[in-house]
Amino acid sequence: MYMERFAGADRQAMFAMPQNEMERIIREGEYETGMPAFGDVFSDEETKAVAEYILTDIKEEANAHEYRPGFPKIVQSDALSFRIDTVASGLGIPWGMTWLPNGELLVTERGGQLFRFKDKTFQGLIEDVPEIYANGQGGLLDITLHPDYEENGWIYIAYSKPEGKGGNTAIMRARLYGNRLIDKEEIFKAQPNTRSGVHFGCQLAFDKDNYLFFSVGERGNPPNAQDLTNHCGKIHRIHDDGNIPEDNPFVDTKDAMPSIWSYGHRNPQGLAFHPETGLLWETEHGPKGGDEINIIQKGKNYGWPEITYGINYDGTIITEDTVKAGMQQPVMQWTPSIAPCGMAFADAETYPQWANDIFSGSLSFRYVVRTSLNDQEAVKDEILLREAGRVRSIETGPDGYLYIGVENPGYVFSLIPVE
């Protein structure tokens, strides 16, 4: 309804577009923003009608929509009751967050800023952040601390790096000195570069042995996901300094990128280790339908685009296959797509009724999804906080609470259980 999947960073600019330009984009698509072409499925009359509808009815409804409906003081869910505590505001698109040992909250803004908060109060912007490839879904992405941060001071930042005529996902580590990043080291840069503005990934997760796992999307080019000679459409594993572990699955495969841990992914934007089993879980965007929850295993192929439960945005078929030998099935899939972004497991002590359930954000439907598990099976979903906003990030804080970041106007809030 609000054209958020294709409107880009500025919906108002889209609504101000001349109708002939709107019709051209509907017909031809727009590669850099990921807008598909509908010229083969819409007639000229239908294209004109769709453009008119976007620039009149949808514009009026979107501008009139109440984006923050407000929530009761106590929110009732199936399993427990909670209240919402706002901890950071004044943001646009809060992509990632992490906490310093002194309790300060660092929040990345996709536009390229790194914010610092303490006790719900804005403390300032961090300077000397990496230059970003500000195109479509690219920008300043996830952030996390090294597990031994108090000894080594390393902060890890994922971002879209400009290079040549395009860009791709990169990871930097740096230390914080006052309000500046120092000792900056680029430890990963995805190849190949492309002008595409979609499907960068990128989520970061350290395991108990201090290996860094992270996701890179297929950058809008589905065949990338099955091609081991590039980084795109993969989950990767590296040492904390960027070096390649000798036991990675494709280290000895000719021409394969040695950092690859798993492949056949479309655009993974949720990544977290189960707090009890230590298994790596992931959520990723499907096309139209077929968003997935997966358990990520060493060397496995997750199928995109050879198998999928989704279809193209213009209604055409990607493949008739949902199952193939040698390709992993998702733990569960969402059709219609919720556009999952951000992922965390609920802390068992803080939320015993939600112990180790998966919490995912929905960009499309503007809510939070709780997925209850039975071992490695998804049992059911519960929708929470309808119309909270486009949920971009979810993390478990050092206090055990779930923290949720939503977009435009961006803010971060926590879920506090109540009796």
Side-chain angles (χ1 to χ4, degrees), residues 211-368:
Y211 290 109
L212 177 61
F213 291 76
F214 57 92
S215 61
V216 179
E218 35 81 303
R219 302 293 279 110
N221 182 21
N224 279 341
Q226 293 294 319
D227 183 354
L228 296 178
T229 68
N230 70 68
H231 291 111
C232 304
K234 319 293 193 305
I235 305 294
H236 298 267
R237 174 188 186 240
I238 58 177
H239 285 295
D240 58 3
D241 61 359
N243 285 320
I244 304 298
E246 294 181 356
D247 60 344
N248 271 8
F250 301 106
V251 164
D252 297 322
T253 302
K254 187 173 186 280
D255 296 328
M257 293 296 182
S259 58
I260 296 173
W261 185 255
S262 65
Y263 65 108
H265 301 288
R266 186 171 180 269
N267 190 27
Q269 291 193 333
L271 197 66
F273 284 96
H274 191 286
E276 291 185 359
T277 67
L279 292 174
L280 182 61
W281 290 65
E282 171 250 33
T283 60
E284 68 179 81
H285 293 250
K288 186 177 181 181
D291 295 345
E292 297 180 356
I293 296 180
N294 292 298
I295 298 175
I296 301 302
Q297 301 177 62
K298 179 179 180 179
K300 298 296 185 181
N301 181 354
Y302 289 79
W304 174 255
E306 299 296 317
I307 59 174
T308 180
Y309 289 89
I311 61 175
N312 281 315
Y313 294 115
D314 64 5
T316 56
I317 302 300
I318 298 167
T319 173
E320 298 285 355
D321 296 320
T322 56
V323 177
K324 269 191 178 181
M327 296 183 179
Q328 300 299 110
Q329 282 291 295
V331 173
M332 68 166 288
Q333 59 95 11
W334 286 290
T335 298
S337 294
I338 68 166
C341 198
M343 174 188 173
F345 288 94
D347 180 74
E349 292 187 8
T350 306
Y351 310 100
Q353 301 92 328
W354 290 344
N356 301 322
D357 288 350
I358 293 174
F359 278 71
S360 308
S362 169
L363 293 171
S364 289
F365 293 119
R366 306 165 60 83
Y367 54 52
V368 175

Side-chain angles (χ1 to χ4, degrees), residues 74-77 79-83 351 353-354 416-419:
I74 305 298
V75 180
Q76 306 287 339
S77 77
L80 61 77
S81 301
F82 61 92
R83 63 181 177 85
Y351 310 100
Q353 301 92 328
W354 290 344
I416 311 297
V418 298
E419 296 295 331

Side-chain angles (χ1 to χ4, degrees), residues 85-332:
D85 187 24
T86 300
V87 298
S89 57
L91 303 163
I93 300 177
W95 219 101
M97 61 184 109
T98 195
W99 289 260
L100 298 175
N102 65 2
E104 290 186 335
L105 171 64
L106 302 180
V107 182
T108 59
E109 168 73 65
R110 196 176 76 184
Q113 295 79 41
L114 179 55
F115 292 84
R116 189 174 194 162
F117 292 88
K118 180 71 179 292
D119 298 327
K120 305 181 184 180
T121 303
F122 172 66
Q123 300 294 311
L125 287 174
I126 304 300
E127 299 176 2
D128 295 329
V129 297
E131 179 187 2
I132 63 168
Y133 180 52
N135 182 17
Q137 298 169 6
L140 202 59
L141 305 175
D142 204 11
I143 185 170
T144 194
L145 303 186
H146 191 286
D148 299 327
Y149 175 83
E150 294 193 69
E151 286 73 46
N152 61 38
W154 286 120
I155 299 172
Y156 292 75
I157 300 172
Y159 60 103
S160 56
K161 179 182 178 180
E163 197 170 77
K165 294 183 179 180
N168 213 326
T169 305
I171 297 173
M172 171 186 288
R173 70 174 184 174
R175 293 185 172 98
L176 191 59
Y177 180 77
N179 268 349
R180 289 194 305 115
L181 293 179
I182 63 170
D183 301 333
K184 296 187 290 185
E185 300 177 2
E186 180 185 298
I187 63 171
F188 175 83
K189 168 64 176 56
Q191 297 293 341
N193 295 314
T194 169
R195 292 186 299 105
S196 171
V198 299
H199 302 178
F200 290 89
C202 175
Q203 291 286 331
L204 307 172
F206 274 101
D207 72 359
K208 60 182 178 58
D209 297 316
N210 292 354
Y211 290 109
L212 177 61
F213 291 76
F214 57 92
S215 61
V216 179
E218 35 81 303
R219 302 293 279 110
N221 182 21
N224 279 341
Q226 293 294 319
D227 183 354
L228 296 178
T229 68
N230 70 68
H231 291 111
C232 304
K234 319 293 193 305
I235 305 294
H236 298 267
R237 174 188 186 240
I238 58 177
H239 285 295
D240 58 3
D241 61 359
N243 285 320
I244 304 298
E246 294 181 356
D247 60 344
N248 271 8
F250 301 106
V251 164
D252 297 322
T253 302
K254 187 173 186 280
D255 296 328
M257 293 296 182
S259 58
I260 296 173
W261 185 255
S262 65
Y263 65 108
H265 301 288
R266 186 171 180 269
N267 190 27
Q269 291 193 333
L271 197 66
F273 284 96
H274 191 286
E276 291 185 359
T277 67
L279 292 174
L280 182 61
W281 290 65
E282 171 250 33
T283 60
E284 68 179 81
H285 293 250
K288 186 177 181 181
D291 295 345
E292 297 180 356
I293 296 180
N294 292 298
I295 298 175
I296 301 302
Q297 301 177 62
K298 179 179 180 179
K300 298 296 185 181
N301 181 354
Y302 289 79
W304 174 255
E306 299 296 317
I307 59 174
T308 180
Y309 289 89
I311 61 175
N312 281 315
Y313 294 115
D314 64 5
T316 56
I317 302 300
I318 298 167
T319 173
E320 298 285 355
D321 296 320
T322 56
V323 177
K324 269 191 178 181
M327 296 183 179
Q328 300 299 110
Q329 282 291 295
V331 173
M332 68 166 288

